[in-house]
Structures are given as C-alpha cells and as structure tokens.
Amino acid sequence: MHPPRAVEGLEGWRRRMAAAGWTLTEEQWKAVQSPHRRIAVYAGPGTGKTTVLAARVLFLIQVLGLRPADLLVTTFTREAAAELKERLRPWLASRSLIEMEMGTLHSRMLRWWVRESGQVPRLLTPEEQRRLVEKAARRCGTSGEEAAAALAVAKSRRPGRDQVPTRLWEIYESELRRYGAWDFDDILIHVHELLFERGRRPPWKAVLVDEAQDLNEVQSILVEGLARDGLLFMIGDDDQSIYGFRGAVPTYFQGHLSRPDTAVFYLSINHRSHQGLVEPCNRLIANNGDARGKSIRALRQGPGPEVRLFPDEWEQDRWLNRVLAQEAVQGTAAVLARTHQQLQRALGRGGGEHWYGVSWLTFHGSKGREFDHVYILDAVEGSAPHYPGAPGKKRDQELEASAVEEERRLFYVAMTRARERLVILVPARIEGKETRMSRFLAEAGLAEQKLPGNRWRGLRKILRRE
C-alpha cells in the first residue's frame, strides 16, 4: 500500500506536538514516526505505551493523511480505549473520534460482522453462559470451572483445532444452537470465517493493537488478516503476558516480532518508578530467559523494595491496615494480592473499611494501573507462584515451567505498579501452616532481607513496637 501524500511536515508536526506538552523521548519518536508497514514496539512498564500509541494515531492522520475512519485501534479493555480517546480529544474533532474504530477487538469485530451480514446475533449473558457450561460439565462428569477453562482455551485456538474433550464441546455447542445464541468467543470465530472463508476485505488501512502480548491464537490470526493490505502497529510487553488461562501466551506477539519484514523498537526508559524499584524487577523477569535485548532503566534514584516479615497472616493484615490508615493522605496506595480471597481476608481484619485513596486489587486487576505506594500480600510459595488451594499449601509436584513463568510475569506486573514505595509482606504461617518465602524474592535479589527462622518469635515484639 502506498500511503497518501503527507498533509503536514514531520518536523513541523513534531514541534507543534512538543509545544503542546508531548515530551516524547527520541526512542519514542522513532517508533511513532517509523515509515515501515509492519511495526512492533516493546513497551516495558512505565515506558509511555499509551503516549506512543496516541501519538502514532495522530501521526497517521495528521502527517500521513489517513482519515480517522481508516483506522482500527484495538485495546484490551474499554477503560483503555476511553483513556486513549481522552488523550486524543484535544487534537481531533468529536466526529473524528466517532468515525475511528477504537475499542476492544471483540466489540469492533462484532460491529463489522453486523455491517457485513446485516444481522444482529443474540449474545449470551454471562449468567446464561455460566449455566450452559455447568450443564455441559455435569453431563461430562467434570466441574464447571474446569469445563469453562477448557472451552475458553479451545475457542482461543484457530477454528477447527478444538482442544477439549469431544463430548464436552459437542454438548456445549448443541446447547448454544438450542438457544440460538453466540457466546463471547463466537464473535471472533465468525469474523475469522468472514475474512478467510468468505473473502471479505476489511475496510481499514491501518490496524493498531494495544497490549499485543495478550493476543491469543485466533486474535493473532485475525490481526494479520485485518492488516494484510495495510499498515500494522503492535505495542506490548511479552514480560507482562498474564492471561494464559484465556489462551494468550507471549509466543504469538513474539511470532510477529520475528518476521523479517517487521521493524522492532524498544522503549527502555521507565518514567513511572525510580531505579531502586526498577532494578529488582529487571532481575526477577530475567529468570524467564528470553530477554531479547531489553533493559529497563529509570531516570531518577530512590530506595529499593522493603520486605517485611510477620509471624502469621493475622499480624501481617493488622499491620497493613494500621499503615494504610496513616498513609492514605500521602498519595495513592494499592494493596495487591494473587486472589480475591486474600484481599477479602485482609480487608476483614481492618474492620471492612476501604481506606480513602487505597485500591484493593488482584495482580491481574492491577494491570495498567500505577500507585505511589504498593503493598503485596502473602509473598510465599503457594501464593506467588500460586498453587491450587490456600496460600502456603505445599504441592507434591512442582508447577510446570510454563506455569511458573506466567506466575513470574504476574508478580512482575504487581511489583512494577509502584511509583515511589514497594512493600512486600511475608507471613511465616498462613492458616496455622508454615510457609516458604516466594522464590521470586530471591530471584529479584531481595531474599537476603529474610530473618533467620529462630527470630520469628522475637519479631512479634518488634512489630508491636512499630
């Protein structure tokens, strides 16, 4: 494809952007203004991913001369799309923002399918889908949770490669047909048919993909098909790929990056945190191997994470709630845990109060957020990495290497939410059972802060004096 004639000179446009407060670094500008047809950007935590994506949109419209309606911009969540629109609102007319296809891949593909087919499918509500999955699971002698996971992974694959027990798949699909409805994942399966079996040409000249590391197989294939005759811009961080249970693994993003016709850019400057917090995060994620030349650094100095040890989860949770009552007025704060149950337990020990300015989030729920103060609960084996059952539970078999890598990425996401202060909490016992400090602390170079085992008893007195 030959891009249309430029409507504004690049240097003049950059000066105008800079004058309006777009203080991009040179490595960010290189990604934004690249002339390549296929572009992939590694954007580590705090490196300005949303800024670069927004600037690329403006570059395509104001410098290359594409119409807003020529762009398809996919985000992982509706909230991310809303944030991106707010960045663009001062620069684009309201009509342009309406004309541009911007939102989650599922929502944009549903709109396109309706336009192409002239039909409006009936989508199951989450409650209806839960009932259908549980019905199919009972008939197959498995749990609803296991059936839902198997079906979700199967529908994330290329259509025709169903990796679920045949009986479960057939029962569930027959129930869908009886309802005359689609589930959420059917949207992409039908669009796959539209693209590759019915040969429909997508209407967009440029496709931009946010959080590209979270693409599953069918999404990755769709992105390629949607951009086959136009421009493709993908931005993400394979070190933050944390949705394996939905079929998303970093190899799909890495596959795009390995193509010889893809120009690859690295955003390496963390504008969120200081170096004391960035270094242990780098050490942790390096244990996943595939570094690909990435090295995140900060522009300011500061202290490293604090590792605080407690006799048990009761002392940990009480201490946390006391601290939150004091620090809520000193900036934003977040309490992060691997599961909702851990958060509910810690909240309950604080009298159920939601301290002002404090967010209580799972590691997954913290993705894309940032806070001045971050507290990570229960940094022990069984919680990080997570084993089935209660935190601290010892399993006979080690987790598979791929599962540990995803758990490591998840802990990395949690650690990198902090702007100023990161406090990692380690209880010696949970539910009366002894725990082992999470391996991730040793990998991050933080395990040396652990007190010897014979000092746990004295630690209770120390904590009470704080």
Side-chain angles (χ1 to χ4, degrees), residues 317 320-321 324 335 340-355 358 360 377:
D317 297 348
L320 174 63
N321 280 282
L324 292 178
V335 177
H340 289 288
Q341 291 80 2
Q342 292 165 282
L343 292 173
Q344 291 164 358
R345 183 204 72 211
L347 261 173
R349 306 248 166 95
E353 297 187 48
H354 290 268
W355 304 109
V358 179
W360 298 73
L377 284 176

Side-chain angles (χ1 to χ4, degrees), residues 21-229:
W22 290 70
T23 55
L24 277 70
T25 63
E26 196 54 38
E27 66 180 9
Q28 290 173 326
W29 278 123
K30 286 179 181 178
V32 167
Q33 66 192 41
S34 171
H36 293 86
R37 192 181 77 80
R38 293 176 55 93
I39 298 167
V41 183
Y42 273 117
T47 57
K49 175 174 64 67
T50 304
T51 297
V52 168
L53 183 59
R56 179 67 179 183
V57 169
L58 294 176
F59 171 80
L60 292 174
I61 295 171
Q62 297 176 340
V63 179
L64 290 192
L66 296 183
R67 298 174 304 127
D70 292 332
L71 273 60
L72 169 65
V73 185
T74 71
T75 60
F76 190 68
T77 64
R78 287 174 294 182
E79 292 77 14
E83 180 186 352
L84 190 56
K85 284 181 180 178
E86 285 306 307
R87 297 276 187 103
L88 296 171
R89 198 173 300 282
W91 291 78
L92 297 175
S94 297
R95 182 177 180 83
S96 296
L97 289 172
I98 293 172
E99 291 175 350
M100 190 187 309
E101 285 285 6
M102 182 184 298
T104 65
L105 185 61
H106 285 85
S107 70
R108 299 307 97 183
M109 292 302 96
L110 179 60
R111 282 167 57 94
W112 185 42
W113 192 89
V114 169
R115 286 201 302 267
E116 289 290 317
S117 68
Q119 304 174 47
V120 180
R122 177 175 177 258
L123 292 176
L124 289 181
T125 66
E127 179 58 25
E128 287 174 330
Q129 184 176 9
R130 184 187 65 79
R131 288 201 301 266
L132 288 191
V133 170
E134 289 183 349
K135 182 177 181 180
R138 283 195 300 272
R139 291 177 61 182
C140 292
T142 187
S143 71
E145 185 177 342
E146 290 174 337
L151 288 166
V153 170
K155 288 204 168 188
S156 75
R157 303 298 187 210
R158 183 194 303 269
R161 297 181 182 177
D162 305 330
Q163 297 184 345
V164 293
T166 303
R167 179 167 164 75
L168 173 64
W169 178 267
E170 290 181 347
I171 292 172
Y172 177 70
E173 289 297 308
S174 69
E175 288 295 321
L176 277 179
R177 289 191 294 271
R178 191 170 67 83
Y179 263 71
W182 294 1
D183 66 19
F184 200 56
D185 294 318
D186 284 333
I187 296 170
L188 302 188
I189 292 173
H190 283 275
V191 171
H192 182 278
E193 177 190 357
L194 201 64
L195 266 176
F196 297 105
E197 295 178 28
R198 294 164 62 182
R200 297 295 176 86
R201 296 179 69 86
W204 303 286
K205 295 180 180 178
V207 176
L208 298 91
V209 181
D210 189 19
E211 303 286 9
Q213 77 281 348
D214 292 323
L215 294 176
N216 59 34
E217 184 176 25
V218 69
Q219 291 168 342
S220 181
I221 292 168
L222 281 181
V223 164
E224 285 287 355
L226 293 167
R228 61 190 173 197
D229 297 321

Side-chain angles (χ1 to χ4, degrees), residues 350-364:
E353 297 187 48
H354 290 268
W355 304 109
Y356 177 76
V358 179
S359 299
W360 298 73
L361 300 165
T362 63
F363 292 172
H364 284 99

